[in-house]
Amino acid sequence: MSFMDDDRPKKPVSHEIGCELDALSADELDRRIALLQDEIRRLEAEKQKKAAGRRAADSFFRS
């Protein structure tokens, strides 16, 4: 490995549900866990926005 290898862009961390995990290091698993936790937070925030919109619509049409 040469000093030039450090300048190469690193592949972004990604995860495919159900993929093989045997070849991953503990650090790679930690990065994937963090990635998935961030995605869960993003999904939950979107769900809350949609639920709030639904409640507002229900309230408006019930009046």
Side-chain angles (χ1 to χ4, degrees), residues 11 13-16 19-21 24 26-38:
K11 182 179 176 184
V13 177
S14 65
H15 183 75
E16 182 179 331
C19 68
E20 292 293 324
L21 304 175
L24 300 177
D27 288 339
E28 290 171 317
L29 290 170
D30 285 340
R31 285 192 295 273
R32 288 183 185 213
I33 289 167
L35 174 77
L36 292 169
Q37 288 171 334
D38 289 345

Side-chain angles (χ1 to χ4, degrees), residues 30-55:
D30 285 340
R31 285 192 295 273
R32 288 183 185 213
I33 289 167
L35 174 77
L36 292 169
Q37 288 171 334
D38 289 345
E39 183 65 4
I40 289 168
R41 282 189 287 275
R42 187 177 78 88
L43 290 166
E44 287 175 340
E46 185 65 23
K47 181 181 171 184
Q48 288 175 358
K49 285 194 299 187
K50 291 184 183 289
R54 177 64 183 241
R55 285 190 303 272

